[in-house]
Each structure stands twice: as C-alpha cells, then as structure tokens.
Amino acid sequence: SGRRKVTGAAPQACFELGSHKMGKESKKAADPDAPTREERAELDFIQFKGAGNKLVGEGRWEEAILAYCGAIRVAPLSYSDPGGPAAAVLSNRSLAYLRCGSITAALADADQATKIRPDWSKAHFRRAECFKYWGQWDLAAANYEKGAGLDPSDVDLATMLQDARMRANIASSPEEHILPFEARAGLTVDTVWLGRCGAL
C-alpha cells in the first residue's frame, strides 16, 4: 500500500506534518497484532481530520488548515480514488482557506474535491463560494446550480442559487436591472451617485 499527497494549494508547513515518512517499508513488527502501515495511515488520517474538524468548530482556521494538511499527507492512496474520504478533508480545508482569505487555495481544494466526488453537492458549493467571493456571479451560479441539482432538498442552496443568478443578471445588464430601480426610488441625475454610495 502507498500514500500520496492529494493535490491542492497548501503552504509549505502542510508538508512538514504527519507521522509517516515515505520510504522503504520497515521491517515487520514482532507483534503479529500490531497495525500494518496501511492501518497506521488510516488511524493517523482519522486523527488529523478529527483535529481539523474540531478547530473549524472553534473558528481556528489557520490551525485547521495545518491539521487537514496532515490528514492529506498521511492519507492512503485509495483515499483520493473516486468517492474517497479525502474529498471531505479537501472540502473542509477549502472552507478554512476561504475564511483566511486564501481564495486561490480554497478553489484548488474545491476543484480536487469535485474530481474525487463529482456527485457530492457540497464540493460544488465550495467552488461556488470561491467565485462568489471574487464577485464572479455567473460562475458562482453555475456551481450552485450543480450542487442544487444533486441535492434538491437543500433549501439554503436553492436560495443561494437564486441570489447568485439575480446578481449575475445585474452584473451583465445594469441598465435593465439597476436603472429602473433607481428611477422608481426617485433618484435623479443629481442624487444617483449618492444613492449608489449609500449616502442617502
């Protein structure tokens, strides 16, 4: 069995974590009940993932990123196969990167999560959130739509899709959407910029 680093933009510190080092297989343990290398990797993965989840719950985003990096570093090769558990870690690390303002890294993890689990709505939601942060509403809407299609019962996701579509329409056709609203609000050529800046 082997392990590999799942791709995704991660700081150098990420690759310094993990209790296993790649190299030749060590000699068999004298204890026949001792865990195999694969089993140790699975246990370490669970430990790092659990630590990351706890840190996310506490809002300690940077520490959570490092914990998830540890999980990815020790993950068995099969964990990044289609449907593998590495997708959940990448999705959570994407959230942590997003909260730290590292949107490119967040999108890289979300991309990888969708490749591993293309039928998982949350992975597409993570991608949408990155595009939302950048104000790319058409791409955000497209990814919200993919997620909503995979989980029609998610009311919040459907609401986010509706909002993203509205904002994408406004961005693409400001004359059609913004100007009539301003006219109905009674804004004139003298007050329109004050209104847009929130000074009225």
Side-chain angles (χ1 to χ4, degrees):
S1 61
R3 290 182 296 279
R4 69 181 175 193
K5 177 173 75 259
V6 177
T7 57
Q12 183 61 36
C14 290
F15 306 114
E16 297 171 358
L17 292 178
S19 59
H20 294 292
K21 297 194 179 294
M22 301 301 293
K24 296 181 179 179
E25 186 70 43
S26 59
K27 295 181 180 180
K28 291 184 178 179
D31 183 357
D33 295 325
T36 64
R37 185 180 185 187
E38 184 83 5
E39 290 169 339
R40 291 197 304 272
E42 292 173 352
L43 291 171
D44 285 349
F45 177 86
I46 293 171
Q47 183 177 15
F48 276 119
K49 179 185 176 183
N53 291 349
K54 183 175 184 295
L55 290 164
V56 163
E58 296 171 354
R60 295 159 63 183
W61 306 111
E62 293 181 357
E63 294 171 80
I65 289 170
L66 295 178
Y68 289 136
C69 286
I72 294 301
R73 184 177 184 274
V74 302
L77 180 67
S78 62
Y79 278 28
S80 58
D81 288 343
V89 171
L90 287 162
S91 173
N92 290 347
R93 193 172 71 176
S94 176
L95 168 63
Y97 275 133
L98 190 69
R99 291 292 186 268
C100 289
S102 300
I103 313 306
T104 300
L107 181 58
D109 275 357
D111 285 344
Q112 189 67 12
T114 58
K115 290 178 182 177
I116 296 174
R117 291 184 62 183
D119 58 347
W120 188 31
S121 65
K122 183 174 284 188
H124 297 285
F125 165 75
R126 296 292 186 216
R127 293 190 83 239
E129 289 290 280
C130 294
F131 292 120
K132 172 184 174 180
Y133 188 95
W134 279 327
Q136 298 180 7
W137 293 105
D138 52 342
L139 293 175
N143 283 276
Y144 284 134
E145 184 174 14
K146 287 182 181 178
L150 291 166
D151 187 4
S153 65
D154 192 328
V155 177
D156 291 335
L157 194 53
T159 300
M160 293 175 189
L161 170 59
Q162 183 178 10
D163 180 67
R165 282 175 172 169
M166 180 192 69
R167 293 175 184 274
N169 287 334
I170 292 175
S172 63
S173 305
E175 295 84 1
E176 178 183 351
H177 295 278
I178 297 177
L179 299 183
F181 172 81
E182 292 176 340
R184 290 194 299 272
L187 296 178
T188 67
V189 67
D190 296 320
T191 60
V192 64
W193 288 111
L194 291 174
R196 291 179 182 178
C197 295
L200 291 179

